[in-house]
Amino acid sequence: WNVPNWFQNLTGAYPALVEVKPSSMKRGLKEYLKSPVEFNTMITAKSDYMKARASEHRTKLLESFDKILNDKTGFQDFRERAVDVAFVGERFSNSMVGNIAWFAAYSESIDAGMTEAQATSKADSVVRTTIGDGSVLGMASAEAGSAFWRLFGMFSTYFNGSLNKAMSEFQIAAI
């Protein structure tokens, strides 16, 4: 089930903090909480990458809702319905954290004097390298194995990404 991924997606904010300041993430969260729809609309208007990401998330969410709400037979397996419900939360949390991180990186870049295009590119890069997209293509093959293997490998992408970011920062600090 994808329920643990809801919470794993929220921890995606930590690797993003290697790229952006905590105050920028906090500012992004405040902006998001004011008006989630306007916040997401602003981001997708500025970034083709985030627009494509949001479109994919929206499509997958609608497919899940369709399965949940349109089972007219009454024979849909409970487990199958629960997986669809869990998937909704996973997509939502991944999208929320990604948008907040994107906004934080974009705002910092604009404040630093970058052009709109440079700031957008930087923000896209931060999301791509620290959050991921939750898609099958973005999933490590180790995460796609049996339930037993996924039990032990569930957080491997997060910890691997965190380790890679930390090692990069240590190498920069050593120079």
Side-chain angles (χ1 to χ4, degrees):
W1 293 14
N2 293 337
V3 174
N5 290 353
W6 296 7
F7 301 104
Q8 180 184 1
N9 288 337
L10 297 177
T11 65
Y14 294 110
L17 290 173
V18 172
E19 299 287 334
V20 296
K21 297 175 192 163
S23 60
S24 298
M25 290 291 282
K26 184 178 177 181
R27 181 174 153 203
L29 178 60
K30 283 182 182 179
E31 291 297 318
Y32 174 82
L33 292 175
K34 274 194 237 176
S35 177
V37 173
E38 288 177 23
F39 183 80
N40 295 337
T41 301
M42 180 273 301
I43 289 171
T44 56
K46 292 182 181 296
S47 167
D48 290 337
Y49 169 72
M50 294 300 283
K51 180 186 272 182
R53 190 175 189 270
S55 177
E56 181 196 347
H57 282 225
R58 197 171 18 259
T59 300
K60 296 293 184 188
L61 283 171
L62 290 174
E63 288 172 5
S64 292
F65 281 131
D66 193 46
K67 284 181 187 176
I68 293 166
L69 299 174
N70 291 324
D71 176 30
K72 296 188 185 340
T73 65
F75 293 112
Q76 183 184 28
D77 180 58
F78 172 77
R79 183 174 183 272
E80 191 176 316
R81 186 175 301 238
V83 167
D84 291 332
V85 170
F87 187 75
V88 170
E90 178 193 356
R91 284 289 175 176
F92 174 77
S93 64
N94 184 278
S95 179
M96 180 184 70
V97 172
N99 286 350
I100 291 169
W102 188 95
F103 179 84
Y106 175 83
S107 298
E108 278 186 13
S109 299
I110 290 292
D111 292 348
M114 287 186 178
T115 67
E116 182 90 12
Q118 291 170 325
T120 299
S121 179
K122 172 68 176 171
D124 288 350
S125 175
V126 166
V127 172
R128 196 177 293 114
T129 60
T130 64
I131 307 297
D133 61 4
S135 71
V136 174
L137 292 175
M139 188 187 318
S141 61
E143 292 177 317
S146 68
F148 179 77
W149 178 251
R150 287 192 316 265
L151 173 66
F152 295 103
M154 182 183 338
F155 297 104
S156 63
T157 301
Y158 167 73
F159 288 114
N160 187 39
S162 297
L163 177 64
N164 286 336
K165 281 290 181 190
M167 294 306 292
S168 296
E169 292 302 310
F170 288 134
Q171 288 173 348
I172 291 168
I175 294 176

